[in-house]
Structure formats: structure tokens, C-alpha cells
Amino acid sequence: MARSRLVAGNWKMHGSRQANRALLGEILEQQAAGAECAVCPPFPYLAQAAEQLKGSAVALGAQNVSEHAQGAYTGEVSAAMLADLGCRYAIVGHSERRQLYGEGDALVAKKFAAARSAGLTPILCVGETLAEREAGRTEQVVARQLGAVAFSEAVLAYEPVWAIGTGRNATPEQAQEVHAFLRRKVPAGTVILYGGSVKPQNAAAIFAMPDVDGGLIGGASLVAADFVAILRAAREAKR
């Protein structure tokens, strides 16, 4: 089964209305040169982005989602609310949510299910720490994280925690090794993204790997020229 190419930008806690308008304007102007594209701004800017992206090929995503459908959960945002705003994707299990906020596999599974029930496509993130990699536990860790979720009709993203913002880079071959392992555990046609500090300089080599279908892009998604260059690399990658 043929797989799609997807590049999703995770803006994390960055942006302002003025900066967002300029960034999205540049992405929209040049997006035809790239692959399938999504952007995930912070919650306060989702409505602004939805309005600017209306009628375009660029999809909207959220960086997080509540496991609850509604109720007295101050500060939370439900999947139905995100869908109502026009979101197509919701990131769940991001390494920063796991590491900084203590989100375990059980909570991630509930968020995954909540997103799916509202018609969103979850982007499930899995990945190992440096200690886990050095202990030879990479496959065990990502298999556990994936196995905790009733995975279907979703995007999978492998993000080696040890290669994000640490100055250490995973080689394309290291990325491919884990992607190939994950490929055997998900339905045919599942899009698997790589999320380990993808930049214009390394995007082509990473996307050339047979089981890498695109990227979950952090810092480089905040620079329009860099993000468009990564989109172009994804489109031009050979299977």
C-alpha cells in the first residue's frame, strides 16, 4: 500500500499573532513546492491559524489534547473543541509531555482514544532516552509505548529523546533501523515520521530512508525558508 508524505511543524511554546501571520503567509505562498503539510501552533493561536489556513492544503493540528470529553477540568482542551476549530491532527505522547509532565503510557492511550473518538488523527510519539538507548532497550521502549495504544488510523512519530536539542544526532541509518522495527508493528500504509532534529541540511538523507515518511519538525518549523526546504526534501525523496 502506498504511503503518504507528511511534514508536521510543532511550534511548541513559540509565536505571536504577528509572527504567526508572517510565518503562515510564507508557508502558504511556497507550500505547493512541498509535501503534505500540517502546522501545530500553541492553543491560543489555533483560531488565528485556522482562519488563515482556510481553503488551503495546509492542515491544522494541536500539540496536546485532554483525555476528557468535557467537564470540570480547568485549563484542559477537549478533542471535540479542537475538531470544532478545524484541527485535523493532535499530537499525543510527545517526549516533552512524557518527560516534563509525567504523562505515562496509560494517559497517552486515553488521549489517543479521545482524539480518535472526535475524528482527529492522532500523531503518536514514541522514543527512547539516551540511557535507554545505551542499555540496548530502544526496541523494548518503543514497542511498549506503541503497544499501550489501540493503534489505528493514526500517524506514528519516532523521536529519539537523546537526539533532540542535545547536540547529538541520529544518523539516517539509526532512524531507519527503528522505523523498520515500528513498521512491522503497525497496519500497512501507516505514515511514520521522524522527529529527531530534522533540518534542511539533513532532511534529504533522512527522508531517503525507505521507512521514513516525513518529519515532525520542531525549531526548523519556525523559520519559513527552513520548513519549506524540508517540505521540498520530503516531496523529492525517492522510495
Side-chain angles (χ1 to χ4, degrees):
M1 181 183 297
R3 304 191 304 270
S4 300
R5 287 280 184 182
L6 172 64
V7 176
N10 174 17
W11 294 3
K12 306 193 180 185
M13 200 172 71
H14 296 286
S16 66
R17 292 177 66 187
Q18 181 177 355
N20 299 344
R21 189 177 301 110
L23 176 58
L24 287 174
E26 290 187 59
I27 291 172
L28 288 170
E29 184 177 343
Q30 303 181 60
Q31 198 273 329
E36 185 177 348
C37 173
V39 293
C40 302
F43 283 146
Y45 301 126
L46 285 173
Q48 178 199 16
E51 182 63 29
Q52 193 168 349
L53 296 177
K54 189 179 298 182
S56 79
V58 179
L60 186 64
Q63 298 177 19
N64 190 21
V65 62
S66 175
E67 70 274 27
H68 303 291
Q70 62 180 6
Y73 303 104
T74 300
E76 292 294 286
V77 178
S78 75
M81 293 174 181
L82 296 175
D84 190 39
L85 271 173
C87 286
R88 177 177 172 186
Y89 297 100
I91 300 173
V92 296
H94 191 278
S95 61
E96 290 163 1
R97 299 299 310 181
R98 293 180 189 267
Q99 299 291 318
L100 300 178
Y101 299 98
E103 294 190 2
D105 292 341
L107 178 56
V108 172
K110 290 178 182 178
K111 292 188 173 192
F112 184 97
R116 287 274 294 109
S117 68
L120 299 176
T121 298
I123 300 176
L124 173 67
C125 299
V126 300
E128 82 282 19
T129 64
L130 179 59
E132 290 166 338
R133 169 162 279 268
E134 290 181 339
R137 297 179 57 226
T138 294
E139 292 185 357
Q140 178 184 343
V141 170
V142 298
R144 188 203 75 227
Q145 293 170 337
L146 176 60
V149 169
F151 190 91
S152 66
E153 299 181 44
V155 172
L156 185 58
Y158 168 57
E159 45 167 8
V161 181
W162 55 273
I164 303 173
T166 63
R168 301 174 65 120
N169 292 316
T171 66
E173 292 75 19
Q174 287 174 317
Q176 166 59 23
E177 182 180 14
V178 181
H179 277 240
F181 172 78
L182 292 169
R183 177 77 57 202
R184 298 192 293 270
K185 295 186 173 295
V186 294
T190 296
V191 172
I192 306 180
L193 309 181
Y194 179 67
S197 297
V198 178
K199 303 176 178 63
Q201 296 85 349
N202 63 14
I206 291 172
F207 296 159
M209 296 293 104
D211 288 297
V212 178
D213 300 319
L216 180 59
I217 315 301
S221 69
L222 297 168
V223 180
D226 289 352
F227 193 52
V228 169
I230 294 170
L231 283 163
R232 187 174 293 109
R235 184 200 66 179
E236 295 173 354
K238 297 287 191 294
R239 288 256 183 246

